[in-house]
Amino acid sequence: MSYIVNENEVEAKELPGRSLRWLYTPEMKQAIGLTFNVVVIKPGNTVKPAHSHKNNEELVYIVSGSGKAFIDGKVYDISAGSAILFSPGSIHMLRNSGDGDMKVACFFTPPATLKDYTFHDDIEFPE
């Protein structure tokens, strides 16, 4: 069975450095092998804290905007059209260093929720 969800009809959850909308979750019983959310990061903001997913791959696609990705201690430039794969256990965070909103599509497999995040409060995004 197929489903259509419009992100504008999903309530946003405000988290440090970003606004997050879950479009597909295990509770929705729509997708079997993945979850999906859309994140908007305002200019100058950093997704905090650094985090990892012990049992999940996360694939993010930068829909619009530009910034930096912190992945296991290294920083990379990212922009619209960039796809980033975070392997299970990879410590990561994103920063919007551009002038406009950075919109990010995030896919997880197997399905994940915020309960599957491991937070690393001691890690800061390098300046």
Side-chain angles (χ1 to χ4, degrees):
M1 181 170 266
S2 298
Y3 295 91
I4 297 173
V5 178
N6 186 302
E7 71 181 87
N8 298 316
E9 297 171 358
V10 176
E11 185 177 347
K13 184 173 195 129
E14 298 303 320
L15 299 171
R18 71 227 187 249
S19 175
L20 180 147
R21 295 174 194 261
W22 284 100
L23 278 70
Y24 291 97
T25 67
E27 295 80 22
M28 297 167 107
K29 307 282 189 236
Q30 295 170 330
I32 298 168
L34 62 87
T35 49
F36 173 67
N37 68 50
V38 175
V39 175
V40 175
I41 306 167
K42 296 287 184 191
N45 282 353
T46 301
V47 171
K48 292 185 178 181
H51 60 278
S52 60
H53 315 281
K54 182 179 178 183
N55 299 310
N56 309 89
E57 284 184 310
E58 179 181 9
L59 175 67
V60 302
Y61 179 76
I62 310 304
V63 177
S64 62
S66 62
K68 308 273 184 189
F70 172 91
I71 308 168
D72 295 327
K74 295 182 182 175
V75 177
Y76 304 88
D77 291 325
I78 55 174
S79 60
S82 297
I84 308 159
L85 178 63
F86 301 120
S87 300
S90 172
I91 298 172
H92 57 277
M93 61 183 131
L94 301 176
R95 171 176 284 170
N96 181 344
S97 58
D99 295 330
D101 289 354
M102 184 164 65
K103 187 174 186 178
V104 184
C106 308
F107 302 86
F108 298 86
T109 185
T113 67
L114 286 175
K115 294 176 188 174
D116 297 302
Y117 285 49
T118 301
F119 296 107
H120 305 274
D121 295 310
D122 57 324
I123 297 175
E124 294 290 328
F125 203 106
E127 294 304 322

